[in-house]
């Protein structure tokens, strides 16, 4: 049985996920904890790259860097980190399902350590929940349910506080100046990459068609992504015709995550694959068209009132594979740019 806390915790440690989109969605848990414990400090232990996201979440007091590469066990180092945190927290929540993710709260001797059963973690966690995937189909429901007592009703989307990243005007202006950008023309943000694999990537020529249409109607295009996405972004710009490339800027590989978050907040609208940047755009409350192929919005949909999901829903999808097992990628190749352009126009009309 978990230790019983006589009073509300004064400090909570959350062991956060390691993927961008998952970390954005973890804010739903932070919001629920803030609702239950308004005066409690919430710290998040996560990879160092998460800091730009966590610093834009008002519920989080401090982002504690987890100094290990993904997959590293390093039992001694994790135990030492946990010992350094002893006496600081009364409650912890472990969001990843791995055994190693539960080691630091255990070594820190945090009285109550909550998480889904995952890998055999009895003892490391003392408030172990058994996950019913049918009962909690959405990742955000699984996160928020950890803050509830077992047996409480399943949290529904209309009761969950959606992710909501906050960007300061100063940091936005610094990012704009660093890249020589302005918003004199409406900005369409494109996020054509996907860390998971090519089966989540809408083809470059489809993105180029959307960009061409936006620019011809008086806008400009900023293309976001990591260094791995830079060749894709360059290809999109090369496909533009009639000098439209003069109004397209490749930011992929040229910004920090912090700058990408800030610049996405300045966009008029965003078109994205199912990716971490998709969740960031939704959390920034940008009008968003999310393109799905090999994956499904049924588990980790972008949360927001200004979101349109476009997908073909072919018989072979979702397959959840990194590469198309049939070799044709029809779930994305056959999804026409016109469908995305129509969705953008509908979002624009709804905002009018």
């Amino acid at each position: 049985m978990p230790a019983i806390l006589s009073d509300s915790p004064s400090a909570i440690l959350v062991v956060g996920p390691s993927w961008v989109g998952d970390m954005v969605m973890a804010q739903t848990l932070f919001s629920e904890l803030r609702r239950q414990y308004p005066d409690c400090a919430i710290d998040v232990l996560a990879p160092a790259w998460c800091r730009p996201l966590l610093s834009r979440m008002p519920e989080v007091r401090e982002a504690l860097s987890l100094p290990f590469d993904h997959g590293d066990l390093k039992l001694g180092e994790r135990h030492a980190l946990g010992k350094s945190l002893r006496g600081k927290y009364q409650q912890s929540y472990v969001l990843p399902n791995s055994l190693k993710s539960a080691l630091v709260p255990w070594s820190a001797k945090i009285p109550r350590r909550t998480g889904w059963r995952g890998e055999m973690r009895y003892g490391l966690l003392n408030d172990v929940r058994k996950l019913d995937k049918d009962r909690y189909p959405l990742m955000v429901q699984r996160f928020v349910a950890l803050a509830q007592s077992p047996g409480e009703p399943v949290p529904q989307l209309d009761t969950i506080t959606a992710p909501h990243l906050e960007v300061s005007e100063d940091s936005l202006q610094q990012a704009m100046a660093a890249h020589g950008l302005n918003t004199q023309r409406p900005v369409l943000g494109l996020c054509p990459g996907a860390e998971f694999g090519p089966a989540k990537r809408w083809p470059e020529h489809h993105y180029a068609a959307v960009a061409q249409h936006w620019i011809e109607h008086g806008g400009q295009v900023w293309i976001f992504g990591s260094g791995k996405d830079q060749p894709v972004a360059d290809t999109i710009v090369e496909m533009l015709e009639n000098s439209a490339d003069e109004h397209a800027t490749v930011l992929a590989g040229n910004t920090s995550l912090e700058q990408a978050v800030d610049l996405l907040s300045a966009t008029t609208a965003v078109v994205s694959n199912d990716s971490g940047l998709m969740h960031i755009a939704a959390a920034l409350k940008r009008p968003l068209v999310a393109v799905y192929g090999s994956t499904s919005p049924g588990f980790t949909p972008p949360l927001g009132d200004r979101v349109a999901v476009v997908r073909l829903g072919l018989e072979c999808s979702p397959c959840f594979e990194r590469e198309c097992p049939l070799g044709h990628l029809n779930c994305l190749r056959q999804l026409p740019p016109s469908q995305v352009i129509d969705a953008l126009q509908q979002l624009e009309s709804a905002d009018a």
Side-chain angles (χ1 to χ4, degrees), residues 42-316:
I42 300 171
D43 294 344
V44 180
L45 181 66
W49 64 259
C50 293
R51 190 176 297 275
L53 292 178
L54 295 170
S55 67
R56 285 153 177 75
M57 296 182 182
E59 301 86 1
V60 176
R61 178 182 68 175
E62 186 176 0
L64 305 177
S65 294
L66 192 63
F68 313 114
D69 292 332
H70 185 68
D72 284 349
L73 187 57
K74 295 190 175 179
L75 291 174
E77 289 89 337
R78 289 178 189 272
H79 182 60
L81 176 58
K83 287 181 64 177
S84 72
L85 300 176
R86 287 181 181 176
K88 296 183 178 181
Y89 303 98
Q90 298 77 48
Q91 168 78 60
S92 65
Y93 295 89
V94 181
L95 301 190
N97 289 326
S98 63
L99 182 147
K100 65 180 181 291
S101 62
L103 290 170
V104 171
W106 176 77
S107 295
K109 295 185 177 181
I110 297 174
R112 179 177 287 174
R113 305 180 298 277
T114 301
W116 297 110
R117 184 168 60 183
E119 296 177 355
M120 298 302 290
R121 305 194 288 182
Y122 293 107
L124 296 179
L125 300 178
N126 58 5
D127 179 15
V128 183
R129 312 290 180 87
K130 183 178 180 181
L131 176 61
D132 182 338
K133 294 182 179 181
D134 293 329
R135 180 175 167 82
Y136 302 100
L138 299 175
M139 179 178 285
V140 292
Q141 291 175 316
R142 299 174 188 182
F143 285 161
V144 173
L146 289 176
Q148 300 177 334
S149 298
E152 288 193 29
V154 176
Q156 300 301 308
L157 278 181
D158 60 355
T159 67
I160 293 174
T161 301
H164 47 284
L165 301 177
E166 297 182 357
V167 172
S168 73
E169 184 63 26
D170 285 346
S171 63
L172 171 58
Q173 292 304 319
Q174 289 173 14
M176 296 268 286
H179 295 279
L181 299 172
N182 63 67
T183 54
Q184 294 176 2
R185 295 168 67 103
V187 181
L188 177 65
L190 299 182
C191 306
E195 190 68 22
F196 181 76
K200 292 174 74 171
R201 294 179 185 144
W202 199 40
E204 293 95 319
H205 61 278
H206 288 344
Y207 271 105
V210 174
Q212 185 79 36
H213 180 274
W214 184 271
I215 292 169
E216 288 179 351
H217 286 76
Q220 61 175 314
V221 170
W222 298 349
I223 308 178
F224 294 85
S226 67
K228 296 178 182 178
D229 304 318
Q230 192 166 12
V232 171
D234 289 338
T235 299
I236 292 171
V237 174
E238 290 168 2
M239 290 179 172
L240 298 177
E241 301 174 347
N242 302 323
S243 300
D245 60 336
E246 296 176 3
H247 301 292
T249 301
V250 173
L251 296 171
N254 297 315
T255 65
S256 63
L257 178 59
E258 183 176 30
Q259 290 175 328
V261 173
D262 295 344
L263 293 173
L264 273 169
S265 75
T267 58
T268 307
V270 176
V271 177
S272 178
N273 298 330
D274 175 15
S275 66
L277 289 175
M278 174 192 75
H279 290 288
I280 289 174
L284 290 167
K285 308 306 179 187
R286 296 296 83 210
L288 167 68
V289 178
V291 181
Y292 278 80
S294 66
T295 55
S296 166
F299 179 45
T300 56
L303 301 182
D305 298 329
R306 308 161 82 189
V307 173
V309 171
V310 294
R311 61 190 299 264
L312 292 179
L314 302 183
E315 184 178 355
C316 57

